[in-house]
Every structure is written in structure tokens, then in C-alpha cells.
């Protein structure tokens, strides 16, 4: 099978258990692509370089990182650095990772979002000079070539702005959804620091274990905070014909097996 797994980049996400499982699964003949976030690495690098981290909440409640021209270069460094550390974890377990860079492989393109809308103190304002982007295209061939060689692509949350010739910060969950569709993956697993989509935030006994496109209004109702973007990514993957998408706990020993075993939110068309 071909699968795509997305692991968050916030400080505290445990890479080791996922690396253990990916190495074991690839030895058994499965083919996996690892997409990752970079928020923790970015925060640490900004602190090191004396750059203020600026998070923006949109009028619809989505939180985003404002990435100016200076921050864009820092984010690229942070994303590639974190990807390299994941690759090292995989290598230590006998897997053969390949760190992807959109400026080299050309596997993902994005359209720049020049401005963000910020809602603060009941007022909305426009912040210009932003260098994040929305993924517009993914190319399957670089991934297929790596998988055919028995490699594990490790993909940072970056995509190429073809007009500017630079890589932009993109949402890792939505990038993973586009990649899963491009390679005809059988499953997309989005790992989180909770068991999945919950009816009541913080209460894992309210886990929603399954859902379909017909239920989407209900599912979106329960998505709060960072889970809102994950649900959007799930919808995009299903709309692009990925058969199954899982929002699952990344804190457990075997996160993919845990997801497949029913201890997650499994969404299907």
C-alpha cells in the first residue's frame, strides 16, 4: 500500500514512535510518505535570531503565522532542519529517507497570500507583506521515483512560488492531503496531540470515530482551534478521492496502527 502520514511540528511531538513504525512498515513492503510541520523549530529559531513570532487569528477563527520576507527565510531553514532531524530518526532505524525540497524536486507549488486578515479586539485589519501560500499543484513523479527505490520521502511544509522562484510556508495538513491525492494513497493519517475529533474539547471519551461527507456540517461544528484546519484538510483529501482519512493520536507507541485499529476519527467519502 501507499500511505501518507502528517506529523505536527510543535514542540513535544514525539518522532521516535512514528519512525519506529514507518521503518517496520517499509520493511514489510508498504510505502509511506512523511509530511511534517515546523512550528516548534520555527519558534526556536526565531528566539535564537531575535525575531518576534506573530500569530494571527482570522475573522473566521483560523490561526495563522504571519510570515514576512525575513521570516520566510527563517521558516525555510527551520522546516528543512526539522525535516533533517526526522530523516536522521528514520535512518537510525534502518529506513532510507529522502528529504524533499520544493526548490529542488519541484513537487509542490503554491500561490502567495500577500496579506492576512487579522481580527483583534473586535476589529478586522489587513496585514500585508505576507509570504505564506496556498498549495495549487502537487507533482506525483518525484514521490513515485523515491518510493520505487524503497525510499521514504520526508516533506517539509514548503511549496514553490514559481513566479518568485522561492519556497513559501504552507499548511502541512493541506499539503499532505494534496500529496495523498497525487500519489493515489490508500490512506492519509493526520497525527495530533489528541485522539481525534472530539465532541467536547479535552474529553477523549467524546471521540467521533467515523464520519462521511454527508455528515460534514456536523463534523465542522465540533472542530475547534487547530482542529479546524485538520478537518479542512480531510475534506480536501476526500474531495480529491483519497479513500480514507484519519485524524489520530501521535502520542502512542504505534500511531498508524492505532489509527487503523479504530482508536481515531476515520473519515470516508
Amino acid at each position: 500500500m501507499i500511505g501518507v502520514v502528517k506529523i505536527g511540528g510543535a514542540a513535544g511531538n514525539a518522532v521516535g514512535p512514528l519512525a519506529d513504525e514507518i521503518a517496520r512498515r517499509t520493511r514489510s513492503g508498504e510505502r509511506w510518505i512523511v509530511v511534517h510541520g515546523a512550528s516548534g523549530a520555527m519558534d526556536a529559531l526565531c528566539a535564537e535570531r531575535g525575531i518576534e513570532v506573530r500569530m494571527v487569528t482570522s475573522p473566521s477563527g483560523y490561526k495563522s503565522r504571519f510570515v514576512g520576507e525575513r521570516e520566510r527565510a527563517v521558516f525555510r531553514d527551520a522546516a528543512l532542519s526539522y525535516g533533517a532531524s526526522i530523516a536522521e530518526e528514520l535512518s537510525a532505524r534502518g529506513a532510507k529517507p529522502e528529504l524533499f525540497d520544493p526548490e529542488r524536486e519541484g513537487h509542490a507549488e503554491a500561490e502567495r497570500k500577500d496579506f492576512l486578515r487579522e481580527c483583534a479586539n473586535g476589529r478586522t485589519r489587513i496585514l500585508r507583506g505576507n509570504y505564506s501560500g496556498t498549495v495549487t499543484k502537487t507533482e506525483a513523479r518525484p514521490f513515485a521515483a523515491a518510493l520505487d527505490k524503497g525510499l521514504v520521502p520526508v516533506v517539509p511544509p514548503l511549496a514553490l512560488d514559481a513566479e518568485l522562484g522561492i519556497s513559501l510556508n504552507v499548511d502541512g495538513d493541506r499539503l499532505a492531503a494534496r500529496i495523498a491525492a497525487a500519489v493515489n494513497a490508500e490512506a492519509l493519517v493526520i497525527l495530533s496531540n489528541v485522539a481525534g475529533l472530539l465532541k467536547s474539547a479535552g474529553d477523549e471519551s467524546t471521540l467521533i470515530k467515523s464520519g462521511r461527507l454527508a455528515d460534514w456540517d456536523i463534523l465542522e461544528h465540533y472542530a475547534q482551534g487547530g482542529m479546524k484546519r485538520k478537518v479542512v484538510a480531510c475534506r480536501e483529501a476526500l474531495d480529491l478521492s483519497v479513500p480514507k482519512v484519519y485524524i489520530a493520536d501521535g502520542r502512542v507507541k504505534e500511531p498508524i496502527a492505532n489509527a487503523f485499529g479504530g482508536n481515531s476519527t476515520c473519515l470516508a467519502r
Side-chain angles (χ1 to χ4, degrees), residues 127-147:
L127 301 177
R128 298 194 179 277
N130 181 55
Y131 278 85
S132 60
T134 300
V135 179
T136 56
K137 178 182 177 182
T138 48
E139 175 59 61
R141 283 178 292 179
F143 296 108
L147 293 172

Side-chain angles (χ1 to χ4, degrees), residues 14 24 28 36 42 47 65 70 80 98-99 109 131 136 145 177 182 184 194 196 207 212 229 239 247:
R24 177 177 58 78
S28 71
H36 64 86
M42 176 61 171
R65 182 186 297 272
R70 183 184 183 192
L80 293 176
E98 179 176 349
L99 183 60
E109 293 185 8
Y131 278 85
T136 56
N184 296 316
V194 294
L207 173 67
R212 294 189 173 274
R229 288 192 180 276
D239 284 342
I247 303 175

Side-chain angles (χ1 to χ4, degrees), residues 7 13-28 34 84-97 150 152 252-253 255:
I7 183 171
N13 280 287
V15 175
L18 177 63
D20 287 336
E21 189 174 12
I22 291 291
R24 177 177 58 78
R25 286 179 175 274
T26 55
R27 284 195 295 270
S28 71
V34 178
S85 69
I86 293 174
E88 289 176 3
E89 295 274 7
L90 289 164
S91 292
R93 291 157 174 82
K96 299 177 181 178
V152 178
V252 299
K253 185 176 181 180

Side-chain angles (χ1 to χ4, degrees), residues 9 36-49 65 70-86 99 156-158:
H36 64 86
S39 57
M42 176 61 171
D43 290 346
L45 200 54
C46 282
E48 181 182 311
R49 298 183 183 180
R65 182 186 297 272
R70 183 184 183 192
E71 290 89 346
R72 184 203 67 82
V74 177
F75 189 89
R76 174 176 164 80
D77 289 347
L80 293 176
S81 174
Y82 188 57
S85 69
I86 293 174
L99 183 60
L158 299 169

Side-chain angles (χ1 to χ4, degrees), residues 193-209:
N193 60 355
V194 294
L197 180 60
L198 307 176
K199 288 184 178 179
S200 179
D203 183 356
E204 297 195 353
S205 70
T206 66
L207 173 67
I208 299 173
K209 290 198 171 185

Side-chain angles (χ1 to χ4, degrees), residues 4-8 33-37 153-157 172-173 175-176 179:
V4 176
V5 60
K6 157 59 170 52
I7 183 171
I33 297 168
V34 178
V35 182
H36 64 86
V154 177
V155 188
D173 296 322
L175 174 62
I179 292 172

